[in-house]
Structure formats: C-alpha cells, structure tokens
Amino acid sequence: MRVGFGQVVLPVPTGTPMGGYAFRDGTSDGVLDDLRVTAITWYDGDRRVALALVDVVCVNADLCRAARAAVPDVDVLWVAASHTHAGPETGCVPGGAATPEPWRAELTARIVAAVAAARRTERDADGLAYAGQLRGVGSVRSHVTGTPAVPLDVVEVVAAGRRVGVLAVLPVHPTVLPAANLGVSADLTGAVRRALADRFGAGTWVAVATGAAGDISTRHARQGQDQRELARLGGVAADRCVELLAGTGRPAWSAGSRLDTRSATVRLAPKPRTDTAAVLDGAAGALAAARTGGDEAAARVAAGNLDGARFAAEYGTGGAAVDAEVGAWRIGRLAVAALPGEPFLALADRVRADRPAPTLVLGYANAYPGYLPTSDAYRTDQYEVLVSAVAAGGGERLADRAADLIADLDGSAQ
C-alpha cells in the first residue's frame, strides 16, 4: 500500500461572511490561524482513494460533485469538513444547500491541489490503529453531569520502520471560540494539529478529522473561549494521542493490502413541523428557571436550546425529504465509514458495534443533511432536534447502511 499526504492553505479575505453561528453579527476581521485543506491518498497499485479534510463548517453535495469531477487519477474522493465555526459560510443549512461562490470554486481548486500534493508524496507504508478514551476535552453538551470523555482513534503511518504520518479522528465540535469571535480559525481542529506537529516534529505529517460529533462539544470542559484555551485543549488531545501511540497498535494495512469501496444514497424522511411559538416559550422559561436556580451548566444547555428554538422559528426546518450519501472503505483490515451531516456519537458506535477489526467513523462528509440525532433524542426539545431537518430514525438508517456496506466489504475480502 502506498500512502501520500498533501496540505494547502485556504485563504479567507477580511470581510468574509462566517459560518456556524446563526445569529452572529459581523464578518471576518482577520486571521487567527490559517485554515487548511488536507489530503491523504491510499493506492494499492490498482485503485486510489483520497480523503480531503477541509476547514469549513460543512460540505454540500454540489461541492463534492465539483471536486470529484476536477480531481484526476482518483477512483473515490471523500470530502469532509472540520466543522469549524470560525471559517467562511459554505451553505450550512439543515437539509443541504448550494455552496455559495466563490467558495465552491475556491474549495474545489484547493482540494485538487492538496490531492495532487498527496499523490506526489505517495510511498510504501504500513498502518497501525490505536483507540482509547480522551478525557477533559469534549462531552455530550445537553448533559450537565458526568466526566467529559469521548473515544479517540489514531492511525499511525509507518514507512521504512519510521513514523511518517498520523491521522486522528476526534468526535468533538470544534467550537471553543464564541459567536462574538470574528477572527478566522480552524478552532479545536487546528489547535490539535499544531500541538501534534510540535510533539512529532518535521518528519511526521498530521491530519485531524472530525468524527460523529453532532451532540459532543467542549461546552462542559473548556475553561475559556479564547486562543489560550484552544492551546490548552489542543495540548490535552495531542498528549493523549502520544500516549496511545506509545502502546501496541493493531495492524490496519500492510504492503500487500488491497483497497475496496462502497457507497449508497439514503433518502431521509423530513421532520414534521412543530409549533415553534410553544417551543420558544418553553425554551425561554427553561433558561429563566436555570438562571434563577444558579446552575451554570444547566443555564448553558438551556441557552443553547433557546438558540435552537429561535433558529427553527426564524428559518424553519423539515418539509422535504433529504438525500444523503453514505460511504465505506476497506483499507487492508481498516474500515472507514463516512457519515454525512452531524451524526450523534452513538451512531458511530452503532456503525462499528459488531466489527472486531479497526474501524473509523467520520462525520460531516460528502453532504449536509444537518443534525442526525438518535431516535430517543426526539423525545426532547434539545437544540440538535430543534434544528434538525430529518425525522426520528434517520440517523439510525444512515448508521445501519454504513454498517451494511462495511460488512459487504468484509465479506468480499474473505
């Protein structure tokens, strides 16, 4: 197996409309840290797949089509967003939208350049997979109790007996910086990248992908919302990656491994429309009660739910079926699933529940149906349900389809 890596900067001019926070005032006023388009390629001598990781809030299906048409010599291309809320607005609307210009053309060009750079650096390499818990960075943001902890997956790329690359999959919303921030930043994703690069040095490339982070954020773990806190949280995540890499990795692929891919389009039923006035009243009352009670964690959750109710009232959600792409790769023994939109973390567990071999689950990939809560979440008026465009059960349908695709790949490999 030959593996390559490429990375280019994504420039964002001052005055650019920013994505992620629906009620943000103002446009970008400078750059805190550069956004990146990162590409990893795998080539088994017959087939080549490429993963493009883009520091934007979301990728829509039209951007994926444009990039796939423009990238040469790649059999399958996935495009996944980091979901930074400190980058350009790229059409992040529940249910999906057209990617606004100049970003569709600009992102397509940067993806082409990053993949070309990765192809030029391809070299024979083995892969090892590591997994463990990451504490102190992210947790379920609608829960006010419990220790902040999420699963962390790390893939190590080894060539000629030496580590040459690391891919980390982090299922946490990169939303340390607040809505008041107008500085362009890759947020938590960029902070983890920088911290890992500092720890590994110039001889090791670093890529960070966002996993199934729909209900996971730094809300209950962060101690601030500034660049200093970004550096602290990035360091915590990087140190945990280093700890995992010091252990024994499971074989992911080797020199003679083969590639195989599957994909499917799933039609998701729309969420029924709700009485937004009643939801707004209930959310406002819950926030007032939490503030009166002095429970800061509960007040943060209630404030988020009120934002969701305001979003649903102002923009509306549901009303039309949503088509979403699901993908799966088998790279040697390693399976990689790509879920669209913002899947809840439990859906990633559902994808890999019955698979003993290493399995990665990416979110925010190849389309943007919006939030994909678990069915039981729809019994609440929490933020993610309020702004979701799909009916209960849609997330499970996507996860089960991804699991079926992986099982088909495993069966074909026997």
Side-chain angles (χ1 to χ4, degrees):
M1 185 73 65
R2 295 178 65 81
V3 184
F5 173 82
Q7 186 169 255
V8 298
V9 172
L10 177 64
V12 180
T14 298
T16 294
M18 299 177 72
Y21 292 113
F23 305 107
R24 171 187 261 138
D25 292 324
T27 56
S28 66
D29 61 8
V31 176
L32 300 177
D33 56 89
D34 285 333
L35 304 188
R36 307 277 175 169
V37 177
T38 300
I40 307 170
T41 57
W42 289 265
Y43 179 57
D44 68 0
D46 293 318
R47 291 171 60 82
R48 177 179 286 110
V49 298
L51 171 63
L53 304 171
V54 186
D55 284 337
V56 295
V57 65
C58 73
V59 294
N60 282 301
D62 66 330
L63 172 60
C64 294
R65 289 192 296 269
R68 288 166 177 169
V71 171
D73 301 320
V74 169
D75 294 283
V76 180
L77 169 68
W78 286 353
V79 184
S82 68
H83 199 52
T84 177
H85 286 35
E89 171 54 48
T90 55
C92 195
V93 177
T99 305
E101 295 295 359
W103 294 109
R104 184 168 64 177
E106 180 69 18
L107 287 166
T108 297
R110 300 289 166 170
I111 291 166
V112 169
V115 172
R119 287 181 53 237
R120 289 194 298 269
T121 68
E122 286 176 351
R123 60 193 297 186
D124 292 332
D126 298 333
L128 296 169
Y130 304 79
Q133 287 287 302
L134 170 64
R135 299 185 182 278
V137 174
S139 62
V140 178
R141 60 184 175 186
S142 64
H143 294 179
V144 297
T145 60
T147 301
V150 295
L152 175 64
D153 290 290
V154 183
V155 174
E156 180 182 31
V157 180
V158 178
R162 184 179 66 83
R163 178 188 300 142
V164 296
V166 170
L167 166 64
V169 180
L170 180 63
V172 180
H173 256 70
T175 50
V176 176
L177 298 174
N181 167 66
L182 297 177
V184 170
S185 171
D187 206 284
L188 182 63
T189 303
V192 176
R193 271 199 313 252
R194 291 190 297 275
L196 285 171
D198 287 344
R199 283 150 179 77
F200 295 142
T204 301
W205 55 257
V206 173
V208 179
T210 303
D215 56 338
I216 308 295
S217 82
T218 64
R219 176 181 288 170
H220 304 305
R222 63 193 181 221
Q223 299 171 7
Q225 290 193 269
D226 54 20
Q227 289 175 283
R228 182 175 180 178
E229 181 63 3
L230 276 176
R232 187 187 73 82
L233 291 174
V236 171
D239 287 342
R240 182 57 175 144
C241 289
V242 171
E243 288 177 359
L244 291 175
L245 289 165
T248 301
R250 293 190 291 168
W253 69 80
S254 59
S257 294
R258 307 297 293 175
L259 289 170
D260 201 358
T261 69
R262 297 287 189 276
S263 67
T265 298
V266 179
R267 175 154 290 186
L268 303 175
K271 185 180 71 178
R273 296 193 183 278
T274 58
D275 183 345
T276 54
V279 173
L280 270 170
D281 287 344
L287 177 57
R291 286 174 171 167
T292 299
D295 188 333
E296 293 184 5
R300 288 194 296 269
V301 172
N305 292 344
L306 180 57
D307 279 345
R310 290 172 60 203
F311 181 96
E314 184 165 337
Y315 298 102
T317 59
V322 177
D323 289 334
E325 177 184 333
V326 178
W329 293 347
R330 196 177 194 275
I331 305 170
R333 298 182 70 248
L334 176 72
V336 189
L339 297 180
E342 307 194 43
F344 274 30
L345 182 57
L347 298 176
D349 297 335
R350 192 178 179 106
V351 171
R352 56 188 170 193
D354 299 323
R355 191 173 194 268
T359 308
L360 307 180
V361 181
L362 310 180
Y364 307 89
N366 301 326
Y368 189 74
Y371 277 98
L372 297 168
T374 52
S375 291
D376 59 356
Y378 284 81
R379 294 195 292 268
T380 72
D381 283 330
Q382 68 189 69
Y383 172 84
E384 299 89 353
V385 171
L386 290 169
V387 302
S388 175
V390 304
E396 283 84 358
R397 286 191 63 209
L398 289 170
D400 290 348
R401 192 71 182 100
D404 289 344
L405 294 176
I406 291 173
D408 188 32
L409 289 170
D410 287 340
S412 298
Q414 300 302 319

